Amino acid sequence: MKNALKAVGLSSLLLFSNSALSQKFENLAQTPQMGWNSWNNFDCDVNEDMIKQMADAMVESGMKEAGYEYINIDDCWHGERDENGFIQESKAHFPSGMKALADYVHSKGLKLGIYSDAGTKTCAGKPGSRGYEYQDAITYAKWGIDYLKYDWCSTENVNPIGAYTLMRDALHSAGRPILFSMCEWGDNKPWEWAKDVGHSWRTTGDIYPCWSCEKNHGSWSSWGVMPILDMQKGLRKYAGPGHWNDMDMMEVGNGMSFEEDKAHFSIWAMLASPLIAGNDLRNMSDQTRKILTNKDIIALNQDKLGIQAMKFIDEGDFEIWVKPLENNELAFMFLNRSDNAIDYNYDWQFNIYKDDIFNYYIDFNKESFNWKNLWEKGSGNTNKKLKIKVPARGVQVLRLTPEK
Ligand code: GLA
């Protein structure tokens, strides 16, 4: 009896201490995280000089000032595990070591992110974290890492909730606040269970720098901007401060047209997706830099309410998306998917904005707003019909402020 009591006491103590640890880091990603990631442009070709140059470029281009913060190394930074199982960086590509690189990135006022995988191997075949979660978390904390993207390759028979929760707990117990970016491509509907596990979760397979294509890789596909947008259907209600639907790293500056890139950036901003650039920041064009540092568009993404835009009007190739903002402001995005510019006439007073998920009911006959165009010059008021030219495969984005 005495022993049984002792056993109960011990197990409840264990339970108690586990539950004390069982949480993600709070107060991170209260607005969608902003940064840069190596994968879209560099694939496996990562090294410390390039990462340092990217940190320099983030500062010099004005991106840091515009709100970008994380420099994230994706797959392939890895060396082998040491004889005790601790992961090491590739000595060939990171000769000064990850700690020195983190110190450098921090000295620029930025943060460093890294990548691992819940399976035995990463998607590029490097050592995964499976079975080494606590050791890896300790190593990342020791190095001074601030962000972990956690992938889903080589996970046969792994339970997704278990695997992501395990890494969440490992990071938390290692003690250094690390933003936890889940990347299981939406396969297991993370939006339904991951609010208290990660700070964001990928909703789709990988992005590809095209407007509406599907790029077939044999056993899997990557997706253009329009298919990724369409895959967000029904997910809006799951996002909010600290837990975002992640539409993948951006392809701005990676080959699409200026208008397509503007639309891509606006869509990611409106849908409150993390804004993680995926181009080479060291030699981007002025147009690309202007898109990535458009502070008015970024402000929509970083709005404190954290409400994802709703598709309000759908006319096939033409859509209107609305994002509620703080202080009763609103953002309107006019999206033209087609290959021809459209001259659009819009009567504000004809359409009531009704949003049952976040409880909005706005009748433009009763309330009027001043609007400002966020990509081009132009302003007006909602008591007058709007006439607006929306470029082919492009957008116009307006910010509406209640008239006093
Ligand atoms: C997966 C992820 C990508 C990238 C690669 C790296 O495909 O979805 O974003 O991290 O792995 O191998």
Side-chain angles (χ1 to χ4, degrees):
M1 181 62 185
K2 220 175 171 188
N3 277 346
L5 268 181
K6 246 191 194 159
V8 169
L10 191 62
S11 66
S12 57
L13 190 70
L14 275 175
L15 257 179
F16 175 75
S17 66
N18 274 344
S19 67
L21 294 175
S22 295
Q23 52 179 301
K24 68 178 191 185
F25 286 104
E26 296 301 336
N27 302 320
L28 292 176
Q30 292 303 295
T31 58
Q33 63 264 33
M34 295 175 65
W36 172 88
N37 173 293
S38 55
W39 183 255
N40 286 355
N41 196 65
F42 295 92
D43 218 281
C44 253
D45 194 10
V46 288
N47 63 71
E48 66 181 37
D49 287 342
M50 182 268 273
I51 298 294
K52 283 163 120 177
Q53 290 161 10
M54 226 50 77
D56 296 346
M58 186 173 274
V59 176
E60 283 154 20
S61 62
M63 285 177 71
K64 176 180 179 233
E65 214 251 308
Y68 294 83
E69 187 178 21
Y70 293 99
I71 294 285
N72 294 344
I73 315 170
D74 207 276
D75 210 343
C76 303
W77 57 266
H78 317 67
E80 300 297 318
R81 293 190 180 278
D82 71 11
E83 64 277 14
N84 296 316
F86 287 97
I87 190 69
Q88 307 174 85
E89 60 284 82
S90 152
K91 300 285 183 245
H93 295 118
F94 296 86
S96 315
M98 212 47 97
K99 172 77 174 72
L101 185 56
D103 289 346
Y104 183 84
V105 170
H106 294 153
S107 77
K108 296 265 151 181
L110 299 169
K111 294 183 167 161
L112 185 64
I114 213 167
Y115 161 101
S116 190
D117 187 289
T120 45
K121 282 188 168 26
T122 71
C123 295
K126 305 293 176 190
S129 288
R130 188 171 180 194
Y132 296 93
E133 292 84 358
Y134 276 76
Q135 271 182 291
D136 286 356
I138 287 170
T139 304
Y140 304 153
K142 227 169 63 188
W143 283 342
I145 299 295
D146 307 292
Y147 186 116
L148 176 66
K149 171 175 166 185
Y150 205 48
D151 215 339
W152 191 239
C153 278
S154 307
T155 51
E156 293 71 31
N157 302 319
V158 178
N159 176 296
I161 303 182
Y164 280 96
T165 306
L166 180 59
M167 191 42 126
R168 173 201 71 178
D169 292 348
L171 292 172
H172 198 262
S173 71
R176 181 180 172 86
I178 291 184
L179 190 156
F180 192 32
S181 154
M182 299 170 46
C183 176
E184 57 69 83
W185 320 306
D187 284 6
N188 304 282
K189 301 195 168 142
W191 42 87
E192 287 180 355
W193 50 265
K195 181 169 180 253
D196 298 322
V197 180
H199 298 97
S200 63
W201 46 77
R202 281 272 297 277
T203 54
T204 71
D206 289 2
I207 193 170
Y208 193 78
C210 66
W211 184 246
S212 54
C213 72
E214 170 182 351
K215 168 92 177 156
N216 192 318
H217 302 270
S219 58
W220 58 286
S221 288
S222 47
W223 307 95
V225 168
M226 288 301 105
I228 288 190
L229 174 60
D230 292 335
M231 289 176 211
Q232 308 308 313
K233 195 166 176 218
L235 303 189
R236 175 174 186 253
K237 64 174 179 228
Y238 298 105
H243 51 277
W244 308 105
N245 288 315
D246 177 359
M247 297 167 74
D248 203 357
M249 290 100 56
M250 295 184 290
E251 294 281 15
V252 174
N254 283 345
M256 284 185 285
S257 74
F258 182 46
E259 293 302 337
E260 288 170 331
D261 272 355
K262 276 162 62 186
H264 170 25
F265 190 64
S266 306
I267 292 166
W268 264 233
M270 289 285 292
L271 275 83
S273 175
L275 294 181
I276 308 290
N279 58 316
D280 188 342
L281 306 181
R282 299 169 302 184
N283 51 29
M284 57 184 155
S285 70
D286 211 38
Q287 281 190 333
T288 296
R289 195 183 56 76
K290 281 200 176 119
I291 294 174
L292 290 174
T293 56
N294 182 325
K295 290 187 184 168
D296 289 333
I297 299 293
I298 292 172
L300 308 180
N301 179 261
Q302 296 292 303
D303 183 85
K304 297 273 188 309
L305 286 185
I307 298 180
Q308 195 172 315
M310 175 181 104
K311 195 200 282 186
F312 172 45
I313 289 178
D314 186 344
E315 297 176 355
D317 266 351
F318 197 87
E319 293 168 4
I320 302 178
W321 290 73
V322 179
K323 185 182 200 292
L325 305 170
E326 277 192 301
N327 303 320
N328 301 316
E329 294 189 278
L330 294 167
F332 266 65
M333 177 175 73
F334 298 83
L335 168 64
N336 176 6
R337 294 174 177 245
S338 80
D339 292 338
N340 302 304
I342 293 180
D343 285 305
Y344 197 73
N345 294 308
Y346 182 67
D347 186 349
W348 303 97
Q349 300 186 343
F350 191 73
N351 298 291
I352 286 171
Y353 176 64
K354 196 163 167 299
D355 173 353
D356 292 335
I357 294 177
F358 294 99
N359 289 321
Y360 282 86
Y361 185 94
I362 299 170
D363 179 347
F364 290 85
N365 291 296
K366 301 205 176 108
E367 294 176 62
S368 52
F369 294 79
N370 293 316
W371 59 259
K372 180 184 165 219
N373 189 322
L374 304 186
W375 283 114
E376 294 173 4
K377 289 202 178 76
S379 57
N381 188 286
T382 55
N383 54 27
K384 281 208 191 73
K385 285 183 191 155
L386 174 74
K387 252 177 175 294
I388 197 162
K389 193 179 202 72
V390 188
R393 299 185 171 193
V395 293
Q396 293 284 10
V397 183
L398 309 183
R399 185 178 183 118
L400 275 59
T401 309
E403 200 178 34
K404 295 274 161 9

